[in-house]
Amino acid sequence: MRIGIDARELFGKTTGVGRYLTNLLIEWSGQCTIGYTFILYSPSSEQHAVDLFNRLKLTNNPAFKHRSLGGGGQGTLWEQSHLCKAANSDSLDVFFAPNYSAPLLLQVPFVLALHDVSYFSRPDWFNWREGIRRRLLAAKSARLAHTVLTLSQFSRKEIVDHLNINSDRIMITPLGTSRSRGQDIGSRESRLVLFAGSCFTRRRLPDLIRAFAIVQNRDSRARLSIVGDNRTYPHIDLKSVVNSVGIPNYVSIESWISDDDLMELYRKAKVFAFLSEYEGFGLPPLEALAFGTPSVMLDTKIAREIMGEAASFVPLNDIRSTAIALSELLWDSPKRTAILNAATEVLDRYTWADTARRTMRAVEQAATDRYD
């Protein structure tokens, strides 16, 4: 079976979709050993592909190939022209689109990963140009796809409601954790609060900063680290928020760090904070939990669905309650112990091996149906 994959997100500063595809490829390299060829398309150079294959340990695996496509960029024009033309010329059996949209003129069936539909649910979080582009491409791609993959029951219902897609065409493929469970669980001396992920408006970083300021005024050892590209709309100057509450010496803000450095922060952090009011899944708190770091999260349907009892939940717009929850988890309180005791049951539900198997079943079915 020849499977084409849009691999743009594997290169450069890898974020959520890139990590998702990375873990799928690693698992597929062990699960799909005979009769599979994966062709990864990107605008990146062959040397960058060599570096990627070395990092993912795919160099000696003949099933994985890379095609470097020109086009002067990696946006919608590249996707709909260069990627489409290459995929249609490569005698593929099926195509996998991991990033919300696919080439609309593909001549082979494709499986689409639609992680959330926030641009339909809350268009005010996106500028008009990006919002229109995302809504148009996602809707058309979903309607043309053989199967739409999404991450949760919540997200599945959102897709049905906003895109009018039959639920029978939507398969749930939850994400997994990247590290072995239970690492470093136990008492930690640090007072580090961590947020990691793209800084979207929906993740309410100003609320986190204001709540942390209350905590820091009570505990001089407390520190806050924010890691993620600032993609807020309308734009929020997070450093100005930090300065406005008088704690510039206790907060670090970085747009991107390496995966190794991020994993080290997960190990060091005493608390993870993720005050998101909308997610299709919300992987960072699960990743943190795998390192023994409990989270403070907004009390939403998706947070409850994914995390169960393994998080501390706070109401929207309640800075005081958020500060109290952060403080409880910074200290070795009964609340912290209860969350960590619930971690194993939650983490056992989510593995990348399972994600890869479910995803490949959808890809194989799309290819099989083509020839029936």
Side-chain angles (χ1 to χ4, degrees), residues 76-89:
T76 300
L77 179 61
W78 180 88
E79 173 189 77
Q80 298 300 323
S81 58
H82 298 277
L83 175 58
C84 187
K85 181 179 179 180
N88 284 338
S89 68

Side-chain angles (χ1 to χ4, degrees), residues 5-26 52 55-56 96 98-100 115 175 178 198 231 256 259 283 352:
I5 300 176
D6 179 352
R8 283 174 289 174
E9 295 293 329
L10 294 176
F11 298 89
K13 294 181 177 180
T14 305
T15 54
V17 174
R19 291 192 179 93
Y20 163 70
L21 184 54
T22 292
N23 283 287
L24 289 181
L25 294 178
I26 291 171
L52 173 72
R55 178 165 58 86
L56 302 187
F96 176 55
N99 189 22
Y100 295 90
H115 307 286
L175 303 181
S178 300
S198 295
R231 299 170 63 184
W256 184 85
D259 280 354
L283 182 60
W352 283 116

Side-chain angles (χ1 to χ4, degrees), residues 276-330:
S276 181
E277 59 183 291
Y278 185 99
E279 295 291 327
F281 185 89
L283 182 60
L286 199 64
E287 290 279 354
L289 193 63
F291 283 92
T293 306
S295 292
V296 173
M297 306 178 69
L298 284 191
D299 195 351
T300 63
K301 289 182 179 179
I302 185 61
R304 291 280 186 176
E305 178 184 338
I306 302 304
M307 301 300 291
E309 297 301 316
S312 179
F313 300 103
V314 296
L316 180 67
N317 294 323
D318 193 333
I319 304 300
R320 179 175 173 78
S321 291
T322 302
I324 292 171
L326 290 172
S327 295
E328 283 184 331
L329 299 190
L330 279 173

Side-chain angles (χ1 to χ4, degrees), residues 123-362:
D124 54 306
W125 288 336
F126 303 87
N127 70 57
W128 70 268
R129 187 186 301 274
E130 181 186 13
I132 290 173
R133 176 181 63 82
R134 284 180 174 271
R135 288 190 292 274
L136 178 65
L137 286 174
K140 288 191 173 183
S141 296
R143 289 173 187 134
L144 291 171
H146 178 280
T147 304
V148 175
L149 306 181
T150 197
L151 308 177
S152 61
Q153 294 286 355
F154 171 81
S155 189
R156 184 185 199 178
K157 184 177 185 302
E158 286 278 285
I159 293 170
V160 171
D161 291 346
H162 289 286
L163 275 68
N164 197 28
I165 302 295
N166 191 310
S167 62
D168 292 343
R169 293 181 51 229
I170 305 171
M171 178 183 291
I172 298 175
T173 54
L175 303 181
T177 53
S178 300
R179 294 293 187 270
S180 60
R181 290 84 181 270
Q183 293 191 23
D184 302 330
I185 289 180
S187 178
R188 300 184 190 185
E189 295 304 317
S190 83
R191 290 292 186 268
L192 176 64
V193 177
L194 172 64
F195 167 87
S198 295
C199 298
F200 295 118
T201 303
R202 66 179 186 256
R203 291 176 175 170
R204 306 186 71 88
L205 273 302
D207 286 1
L208 170 59
I209 292 166
R210 294 182 182 109
F212 174 78
I214 297 173
V215 174
Q216 209 287 322
N217 286 333
R218 295 173 179 171
D219 186 342
S220 62
R221 296 171 296 173
R223 299 292 184 272
L224 171 63
S225 179
I226 296 172
V227 178
D229 187 30
N230 190 337
R231 299 170 63 184
T232 55
Y233 179 82
H235 180 75
I236 300 170
D237 186 337
L238 296 178
K239 289 185 178 179
S240 292
V241 178
V242 171
N243 291 335
S244 72
V245 292
I247 53 171
N249 296 328
Y250 305 100
V251 181
S252 66
I253 300 175
E254 298 180 82
S255 62
W256 184 85
I257 60 176
S258 70
D259 280 354
D260 287 343
D261 288 342
L262 178 59
M263 294 306 112
E264 187 61 25
L265 278 180
Y266 275 132
R267 292 187 186 95
K268 290 180 178 179
K270 192 75 178 282
V271 181
F272 192 81
F274 201 69
L275 304 181
S276 181
E277 59 183 291
Y278 185 99
E279 295 291 327
F281 185 89
L283 182 60
L286 199 64
E287 290 279 354
L289 193 63
F291 283 92
T293 306
S295 292
V296 173
M297 306 178 69
L298 284 191
D299 195 351
T300 63
K301 289 182 179 179
I302 185 61
R304 291 280 186 176
E305 178 184 338
I306 302 304
M307 301 300 291
E309 297 301 316
S312 179
F313 300 103
V314 296
L316 180 67
N317 294 323
D318 193 333
I319 304 300
R320 179 175 173 78
S321 291
T322 302
I324 292 171
L326 290 172
S327 295
E328 283 184 331
L329 299 190
L330 279 173
W331 303 320
D332 292 315
S333 65
K335 179 72 171 180
R336 179 182 177 85
T337 301
I339 289 174
L340 294 179
N341 286 341
T344 299
E345 181 181 351
V346 172
L347 292 169
D348 281 346
R349 294 202 295 263
Y350 304 108
T351 69
W352 283 116
D354 182 59
T355 307
R357 281 191 292 268
R358 293 184 188 215
T359 305
M360 184 50 62
R361 281 200 296 270

